[in-house]
Amino acid sequence: MPTKRPAGTALFLFAHQDDEYGVFQAIEDSLRRGRRVACAYLTEGAAGSGPRRNAESLAVLAGMGVDAREVAFAGDRLAIVDGTLPRHMAAAGGWLREWLASFDDIELICVTAWEGGHHDHDALHFLAAHAAEKLGLLARLRQYSLYNAFGRRAPWFNVLAPLAANGAVERAAIGWGARLRHLGRLLRYPSQWKTWVGLFPFVLWHYLRHGSQQLQPVALARLAQRPHDGPLYYEQRRFYTWEAMQQDMADWLAHR
């Protein structure tokens, strides 16, 4: 009698606790298909907020059906504070490659998009792309947009808006029940309420107008290109510069 084929593994990579809002539907879809779902966070919270932020994300993921034992807080282990991932690429890249290699039958890997929104997001994208390429998994890697400043003047920005330069968008419709569940989950990050005051209206608009999970492929060639023309969001906010990111990437490539 034939045995049932395993559903495979889906991996989700996050720079920060709450970044999972960008792939709520992809996580739900993977669980529904019977896939093993595992998640990794590559930074810890700032100013002692790590344990609280970890607990919030664990609660959201548990509510979706993700086993807490499948959630790795690499940022805690490596002492990578929120906002400093580009300066810890060697440690983060080594950990990430080993973590990815520890899984079998990987069908999907999701990572933050190359979009100039947050410098930690772009640093994680860079590391994931190279790790996936080294392991022969680049074709399984997909990027998801969180926010960017393409075509916007400060202080405005786009939310859940994939950049055309990142390739064809793979859209999966989100039903109204799921949209309401996802919006409810956004209220479960009280430690980040200031961030969500700004983000929530735009996410709400996305669900009302588009209501889709949007993923794009990943290409190594894009990493040599500025995410988009004009000031990047992390430059507008004076968090980081494109020139500093280029140097961080060059340093990692020279010593890997």
Side-chain angles (χ1 to χ4, degrees):
M1 184 175 181
T3 58
K4 185 177 180 180
R5 179 183 180 275
T9 299
L11 305 176
F12 296 88
L13 306 177
F14 309 119
H16 313 114
Q17 299 85 338
D18 78 0
D19 285 350
E20 58 268 20
Y21 81 89
V23 281
F24 278 158
Q25 190 61 39
I27 293 174
E28 277 200 353
D29 288 344
S30 291
L31 290 167
R32 188 178 301 110
R33 293 174 186 175
R35 288 172 172 167
R36 176 185 181 186
V37 170
C39 305
Y41 295 86
L42 272 294
T43 71
E44 60 180 347
S49 65
R52 185 178 181 187
R53 295 189 68 180
N54 291 351
E56 290 170 354
S57 284
L58 280 173
V60 169
L61 292 172
M64 302 178 76
V66 178
D67 190 327
R69 294 170 295 183
E70 298 281 22
V71 182
F73 292 102
D76 291 10
R77 302 180 191 178
L78 302 173
I80 302 177
V81 177
D82 185 341
T84 69
L85 185 55
R87 299 197 293 274
H88 292 88
M89 285 199 183
W95 183 93
L96 181 58
R97 183 175 165 185
E98 290 185 7
W99 188 75
L100 292 175
S102 71
F103 294 92
D104 296 320
D105 195 18
I106 297 173
E107 294 190 347
L108 174 68
I109 309 170
C110 290
V111 68
T112 46
W114 184 250
E115 61 180 347
H118 193 292
H119 49 295
D120 285 346
H121 298 170
D122 284 3
L124 177 56
H125 181 101
F126 171 82
L127 294 173
H130 280 283
E133 191 274 336
K134 188 70 173 179
L135 296 169
L137 296 169
L138 193 59
R140 312 288 175 86
L141 187 62
R142 294 293 183 271
Q143 58 184 308
Y144 59 93
S145 171
L146 292 176
Y147 52 84
N148 61 69
F150 178 62
R152 300 291 185 181
R153 292 186 178 182
W156 303 108
F157 52 91
N158 309 297
V159 177
L160 301 177
L163 297 177
N166 284 335
V169 179
E170 302 166 4
R171 292 183 172 85
I174 303 175
W176 282 103
R179 296 183 204 188
L180 293 175
R181 287 196 302 274
H182 300 337
L183 289 170
R185 290 174 178 129
L186 302 181
L187 305 178
R188 301 186 65 183
Y189 302 101
S191 70
Q192 300 303 298
W193 69 269
K194 291 182 180 179
T195 296
W196 282 105
V197 165
L199 283 177
F200 187 88
F202 296 99
V203 179
L204 173 63
W205 176 243
H206 169 80
Y207 280 129
L208 291 175
R209 182 179 182 185
H210 302 290
S212 62
Q213 175 71 76
Q214 303 174 111
L215 301 177
Q216 294 172 285
V218 173
L220 287 180
R222 271 287 283 151
L223 304 179
Q225 303 170 0
R226 187 179 178 89
H228 62 74
D229 293 334
L232 306 178
Y233 188 70
Y234 60 71
E235 292 180 317
Q236 289 182 355
R237 297 294 304 275
R238 299 183 180 180
F239 292 151
Y240 221 61
T241 66
W242 169 241
E243 291 73 24
M245 182 67 72
Q246 286 181 301
Q247 187 61 58
D248 293 329
M249 294 188 295
D251 289 345
W252 184 88
L253 289 169
H255 297 96
R256 62 173 172 167

